[in-house]
Amino acid sequence: MKHRGGTIRLDRLDLRILATLQTAGRISNLELADKVGLSATPCQQRVRRMEAAGYIRGYAAQLEIDRICSNIVVFTEITLRGHRREDFLKFERGIQEIPQLLNCFLVTGGYDYLAQFIAQDIHDYQTTVESLLDRDLGIDKYFSYVTIKQVKRSTGFPLADLVAQPES
């Protein structure tokens, strides 16, 4: 791992560590070191450096929400009235504290944002959207797509396919 302008340049071992932690966040440092072919101390040092550099955002349990409660997931296309920089910033700041809004992406194409909501039921979703509209964040229109079932769930990013393999 080499520092370059305040960031860490990731090598193959770092990528193996990250790939393993994505799917096994509770793994002990000894098990992680064994899996990636390092001794415990250098492995722990690498993890700490990647945490400090912001490559690892945190550790969390992956919940099986359908076993916990009944819910619906809704994808929503959102179009803003205005398209100035401040219009986008106002919207993006205004949605940060909405817990039912799981993910939101600025996109290209026929609308501005693609948002993913979770709610108890369709009524709860509509209440959430009405609350969002009441915030006057510049929403012109929205279209909702209620999901029927999730057919694939990812446990992490395919690092081996996304990152050009660095030299060791």
Side-chain angles (χ1 to χ4, degrees):
M1 236 182 318
K2 298 173 188 151
H3 291 277
R4 215 185 240 180
T7 62
I8 296 172
R9 190 166 147 216
L10 301 175
D11 63 20
R12 282 191 176 101
L13 286 171
D14 297 324
L15 292 173
R16 274 192 269 183
I17 289 169
L18 292 173
T20 303
L21 287 175
Q22 278 190 125
T23 58
R26 293 182 65 169
I27 193 171
S28 73
N29 183 59
L30 277 173
E31 291 173 294
L32 177 61
D34 186 53
K35 256 190 190 293
V36 300
L38 281 173
S39 58
T41 300
C43 183
Q44 188 171 48
Q45 290 170 341
R46 283 173 178 263
V47 170
R48 286 188 179 149
R49 275 185 273 181
M50 288 187 287
E51 288 171 344
Y55 289 105
I56 299 171
R57 190 172 39 201
Y59 300 89
Q62 293 178 4
L63 303 181
E64 192 59 57
I65 195 67
D66 294 340
R67 291 190 62 141
I68 298 168
C69 62
S70 89
N71 64 86
I72 62 166
V73 174
V74 181
F75 286 94
T76 307
E77 298 174 356
I78 298 171
T79 303
L80 300 182
R81 279 189 298 276
H83 290 94
R84 298 168 305 168
R85 184 174 190 272
E86 50 270 19
D87 298 322
F88 290 101
L89 291 174
K90 180 181 180 183
F91 175 80
E92 290 172 15
R93 279 193 303 267
I95 64 168
Q96 295 304 315
E97 301 304 317
I98 300 171
Q100 299 91 336
L101 180 52
L102 299 178
N103 295 292
C104 189
F105 302 91
L106 177 64
V107 297
T108 62
Y111 52 94
D112 299 315
Y113 292 93
L114 180 61
Q116 180 188 21
F117 290 89
I118 190 164
Q120 294 171 357
D121 52 34
I122 199 68
H123 180 317
D124 184 41
Y125 166 71
Q126 189 59 37
T127 301
T128 300
V129 169
E130 288 169 0
S131 160
L132 184 63
L133 294 170
D134 289 344
R135 291 173 180 239
D136 192 29
L137 300 177
I139 297 173
D140 181 38
K141 59 186 172 184
Y142 69 95
F143 294 96
S144 304
Y145 301 91
V146 178
T147 63
I148 296 169
K149 72 176 182 176
Q150 185 169 1
V151 297
K152 181 179 188 249
R153 183 181 308 264
S154 174
T155 57
F157 299 104
L159 294 178
D161 297 322
L162 293 173
V163 180
Q165 290 301 307
E167 300 121 30
S168 292

